[in-house]
């Protein structure tokens, strides 16, 4: 196997995986929903479409269908890039694309009722509860990297693809209730969401440093047995840990800022709403006072 370069990034790309089919089908359904809305004269924000298709699905395709995919069982740092993108980058933009809201606006009555029933079900309340999603988000990587599951994912292609889907699903469960635009049960107020985002920062630091400082290779003798003369597995594992540490902190702190910004904007909208309500009440009081004055002056004028 040659070293990963700009050339191999493209020449080793593969579009024959089930994930590629899923991305194409998902993109087609989303675009069809937008098309249906426009047919009846309704608007759908272009930014949401860009977030979902270009930045959401685009990031997923970049790390799973490009040449990176050919190296994700050979280079630990490549696998860690996939981990970060699938669990912490793509889910953010998928949430901002609001696909559930789009579905609720275009589905016929019966499928819409079914989707609403799912959203309000007990299962949905459990899996979208922020603390539940946080626990999965934090615990699962430790289970993956420090048990035999990681070695199994290297040896078994099906398990390997399941791990990719698991990263993506876990990220969606964590980020969707925090900053998504879709109607979800049990969504926390912004202070609680910001606190949960803040609490995710130490997790990446601990996991990243643990991997960097470990004298045991992830996957045991898998990487040395590949015989890659251009790569030292121990050095590459330190790089992988650094990617997890630095990338996790960058994404977490950035999203904390986004949540605070959303919170400020919500407060501003609420303040404007209250101001409008007070203005209406003052105008109504002024009209009532004016009517009373006219009513009191009417008999004397007669």
């Amino acid at each position: 196997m040659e070293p990963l370069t700009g050339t191999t990034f493209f020449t080793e790309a593969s579009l024959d995986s089930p994930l590629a089919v899923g991305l194409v089908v998902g993109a087609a359904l989303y675009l069809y929903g937008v098309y249906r809305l426009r047919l009846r004269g309704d608007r759908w924000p272009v930014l949401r479409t860009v977030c979902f298709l270009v930045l959401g699905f685009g990031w997923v395709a970049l790390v799973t269908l490009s040449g990176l995919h050919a190296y994700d069982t050979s280079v630990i740092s490549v696998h860690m890039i996939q981990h970060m993108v699938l669990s912490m980058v793509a889910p953010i933009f998928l949430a901002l694309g609001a696909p559930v809201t789009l579905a609720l606006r275009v589905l016929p009555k019966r499928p819409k009722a079914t989707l609403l029933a799912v959203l309000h079900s007990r299962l949905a309340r459990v899996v979208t509860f922020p603390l539940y999603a946080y626990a999965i988000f934090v615990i699962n990587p430790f289970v993956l990297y420090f048990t035999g599951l990681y070695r199994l994912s290297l040896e078994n292609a099906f398990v390997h693809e399941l791990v990719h889907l698991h990263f993506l699903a876990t990220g969606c469960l964590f980020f969707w209730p925090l900053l998504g635009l879709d109607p979800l049960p049990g969504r926390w107020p912004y202070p609680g969401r910001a606190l949960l985002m803040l609490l995710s920062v130490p997790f990446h630091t601990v996991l990243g440093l643990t991997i960097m400082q470990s004298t045991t290779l992830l996957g045991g003798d898998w990487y040395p047995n590949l015989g890659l003369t251009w790569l030292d597995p121990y050095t590459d594992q330190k790089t992988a840990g650094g990617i997890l540490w630095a990338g996790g902190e960058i994404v977490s702190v950035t999203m904390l800022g986004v949540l605070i910004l959303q919170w400020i904007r919500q407060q501003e909208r609420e303040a404007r709403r209250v101001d409008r309500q007070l203005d209406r009440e003052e105008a109504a009081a002024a009209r009532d006072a004016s009517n009373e004055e006219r009513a009191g002056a009417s008999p004397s004028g007669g």
Side-chain angles (χ1 to χ4, degrees), residues 29 36 39 52 60 72 84 90 110 146 182 206 211 254 283 292:
L29 289 174
R36 286 281 305 276
L39 272 184
F52 191 83
V60 174
D72 62 357
M84 295 303 302
R110 183 169 295 179
F146 300 113
D182 288 321
V206 171
I211 292 175
T254 301
E292 289 178 1

Side-chain angles (χ1 to χ4, degrees), residues 104-117:
L104 290 173
R105 292 184 62 181
V106 300
L107 284 174
K109 186 175 181 179
R110 183 169 295 179
K112 180 178 178 179
T114 301
L115 178 56
L116 286 172

Side-chain angles (χ1 to χ4, degrees), residues 11 14 50 52 55 67 86 122 124 138 149 179 196 199 217 230 255 274 283 291 295 299:
T11 58
S14 175
V50 171
F52 191 83
L55 300 176
L86 292 175
R122 181 175 298 179
V138 168
L149 182 59
L179 70 150
L196 204 60
L199 291 175
L217 280 176
W230 48 270
M255 292 317 304
V274 171
N291 291 336

Side-chain angles (χ1 to χ4, degrees), residues 71-116:
Y71 289 82
D72 62 357
T73 59
S74 306
V75 182
I76 308 174
S77 55
V78 169
H79 163 82
M80 202 59 71
I81 291 172
Q82 286 184 324
H83 176 164
M84 295 303 302
V85 170
L86 292 175
S87 64
M88 294 198 68
V89 178
I92 293 171
F93 295 107
L94 293 176
L96 293 175
V100 177
T101 300
L102 177 62
L104 290 173
R105 292 184 62 181
V106 300
L107 284 174
K109 186 175 181 179
R110 183 169 295 179
K112 180 178 178 179
T114 301
L115 178 56
L116 286 172

